[in-house]
Amino acid sequence: MTDSAHVVLEGLDSIRTDIEDLYKDLHRHPELGLDEHRTAKKAADALRAAGYRVVDGVGGTGVIAVLANGEGPTVMVRADMDALPVREQTGLPYASTATVTGSDGAEQPLMHACGHDVHVATLVGCARLLAEAKEEWKGTFIALFQPSEERGDGADAMLADGLTATSPRPDVVLAQHVLPYPAGYVGTRAGSFLSAADSLRITVHGRGGHGSMPQATVDPVVMAAMIVVRLQTIVSREVAALTPAVVTVGSIHAGTDPNIIPDRAVIQVNVRTYDDHARAQVLEAIQRVVTAECQASGAPKPPEFETITSFPPTVNDAATTQRVAEAFARHFGDDAHTVDLQTASEDMSKIPKAFGVPFTYWGIGGTDPALFAAAGGAGKPAHVPVNHSPHFAPVLQPTLDTGVRALVVAALAWLAA
Ligand code: ZN
Ligand code: ZN
């Protein structure tokens, strides 16, 4: 075959070692959200050297790199850069031993446990290959390196710092994420792909007192216990059976001593939904259940609700996804799949929404195919380390090659000359 993607990807052999070295370097030096100074500099330096016009420091550590190559469409590819406060246990020779001092003064371990190092390295690879083969495409390619995806505030930070004025307006925005599928796999999905995620901190108020005299108190521990049980009925009794939703109480704190009834309890809840309607329904139900349980207990004041993080649903544009899926099918053959709906979340969609343009977001595999097969085969990654695990360890190849190929093939679905 002699299509543009194949010609551009002929350059992959000459940059493979560079991309692997960049990946290992990033993996060894993870940085938390909005602190990705070293990572951003690596990306910015590589793209400046490749001839891109680079603007850095957008929204703190965000980087925009633009390569204008004549008349044609404008394609933006976004990669996230941040790592997680996880102590790496992969045993890899390039494992992270990095730590950072948290806001509470305690030392936190750091690890690229979500594979954002794969995203940065493969986007640098794609950007370099496009710069080296400009006769094969026309238009403008934008590589965008986004801070702080994990906390959900990095896209917002870049937008608040004038991203839509700083960057040329794209016709389409593309992004990928490494997932616990076999390395070599690429998976697209039209429509809903990633869930909305809302994390809430709820404080319920009681009246404290002596453990021996509950009649003189309003016990927030009992109140919180009833709330935790009652919240389970939102998904089981209120949301339609074919509408996916998750409500998890991940944290509950009250009291200090068996003999003291405290005056408050704090409950932290995580909600996953896949469209705006289900999201509103579940969030309203939580508010109603908590408020009513507090009333039922005779709470002296109403509960307080605080949003900790809030991610929109990621809903891929159908026509954009089809264009990428067709290009993947041609290039990857049997390795191109339709990927399952994921219960993870992303803030990436805020960027195309701000520009008012369509987007698609796909998955690539990173798991050792033999490990994946031993764990039960396709679609059953139950015993494979998943994203955010201290054992999450994408194999170098074919993960990195696949990531570069997928980005080049997808971008050229618009830019091919
Ligand atoms: Zn993550
Ligand atoms: Zn991630």
Side-chain angles (χ1 to χ4, degrees), residues 84 114 116 149-150 177 388:
L84 286 160
C114 201
H116 298 185
E149 182 280 325
E150 297 289 356
H177 206 298
H388 292 205

mmCIF file of all heavy atoms in Angstrom, residues 84 114 116 149-150 177 388, ligand 1:
data_model
loop_
_atom_site.group_PDB
_atom_site.id
_atom_site.type_symbol
_atom_site.label_atom_id
_atom_site.label_comp_id
_atom_site.label_asym_id
_atom_site.label_seq_id
_atom_site.Cartn_x
_atom_site.Cartn_y
_atom_site.Cartn_z
ATOM 1 N N LEU A 84 0.218 10.380 38.966
ATOM 2 C CA LEU A 84 -0.655 10.141 40.126
ATOM 3 C C LEU A 84 0.172 9.922 41.398
ATOM 4 O O LEU A 84 1.307 9.434 41.339
ATOM 5 C CB LEU A 84 -1.495 8.887 39.875
ATOM 6 C CG LEU A 84 -2.634 9.042 38.865
ATOM 7 C CD1 LEU A 84 -3.066 7.689 38.339
ATOM 8 C CD2 LEU A 84 -3.809 9.764 39.509
ATOM 9 N N CYS A 114 -1.333 5.999 34.978
ATOM 10 C CA CYS A 114 -2.467 6.068 34.046
ATOM 11 C C CYS A 114 -1.989 6.102 32.590
ATOM 12 O O CYS A 114 -2.791 6.190 31.676
ATOM 13 C CB CYS A 114 -3.356 7.267 34.357
ATOM 14 S SG CYS A 114 -5.036 7.099 33.703
ATOM 15 N N HIS A 116 -0.163 8.440 30.998
ATOM 16 C CA HIS A 116 -0.108 9.724 30.292
ATOM 17 C C HIS A 116 1.277 9.943 29.677
ATOM 18 O O HIS A 116 1.414 10.733 28.744
ATOM 19 C CB HIS A 116 -0.511 10.865 31.228
ATOM 20 C CG HIS A 116 -1.923 10.747 31.745
ATOM 21 N ND1 HIS A 116 -2.525 11.698 32.522
ATOM 22 C CD2 HIS A 116 -2.857 9.772 31.569
ATOM 23 C CE1 HIS A 116 -3.761 11.309 32.826
ATOM 24 N NE2 HIS A 116 -3.978 10.142 32.261
ATOM 25 N N GLU A 149 -5.174 16.314 34.021
ATOM 26 C CA GLU A 149 -6.410 15.610 33.647
ATOM 27 C C GLU A 149 -7.002 14.904 34.849
ATOM 28 O O GLU A 149 -8.225 14.879 35.025
ATOM 29 C CB GLU A 149 -6.110 14.611 32.522
ATOM 30 C CG GLU A 149 -7.347 13.859 32.030
ATOM 31 C CD GLU A 149 -7.748 12.708 32.921
ATOM 32 O OE1 GLU A 149 -6.870 12.044 33.488
ATOM 33 O OE2 GLU A 149 -8.960 12.474 33.085
ATOM 34 N N GLU A 150 -6.131 14.303 35.696
ATOM 35 C CA GLU A 150 -6.645 13.447 36.776
ATOM 36 C C GLU A 150 -7.546 14.204 37.735
ATOM 37 O O GLU A 150 -8.503 13.651 38.250
ATOM 38 C CB GLU A 150 -5.481 12.809 37.551
ATOM 39 C CG GLU A 150 -4.619 11.872 36.711
ATOM 40 C CD GLU A 150 -5.327 10.566 36.365
ATOM 41 O OE1 GLU A 150 -6.456 10.345 36.841
ATOM 42 O OE2 GLU A 150 -4.738 9.772 35.605
ATOM 43 N N HIS A 177 -6.199 7.153 24.695
ATOM 44 C CA HIS A 177 -5.799 6.747 26.038
ATOM 45 C C HIS A 177 -5.372 5.293 26.027
ATOM 46 O O HIS A 177 -6.022 4.462 25.410
ATOM 47 C CB HIS A 177 -6.939 6.944 27.033
ATOM 48 C CG HIS A 177 -6.445 7.141 28.440
ATOM 49 N ND1 HIS A 177 -5.732 6.177 29.115
ATOM 50 C CD2 HIS A 177 -6.529 8.200 29.280
ATOM 51 C CE1 HIS A 177 -5.413 6.650 30.315
ATOM 52 N NE2 HIS A 177 -5.876 7.864 30.441
ATOM 53 N N HIS A 388 -4.168 3.223 37.062
ATOM 54 C CA HIS A 388 -4.130 3.676 38.462
ATOM 55 C C HIS A 388 -3.622 2.589 39.406
ATOM 56 O O HIS A 388 -3.457 2.842 40.604
ATOM 57 C CB HIS A 388 -5.484 4.223 38.960
ATOM 58 C CG HIS A 388 -5.881 5.510 38.284
ATOM 59 N ND1 HIS A 388 -6.732 6.441 38.859
ATOM 60 C CD2 HIS A 388 -5.534 6.030 37.086
ATOM 61 C CE1 HIS A 388 -6.897 7.460 38.033
ATOM 62 N NE2 HIS A 388 -6.179 7.224 36.945
HETATM 63 ZN ZN ZN B 1 -6.193 8.330 35.228
#
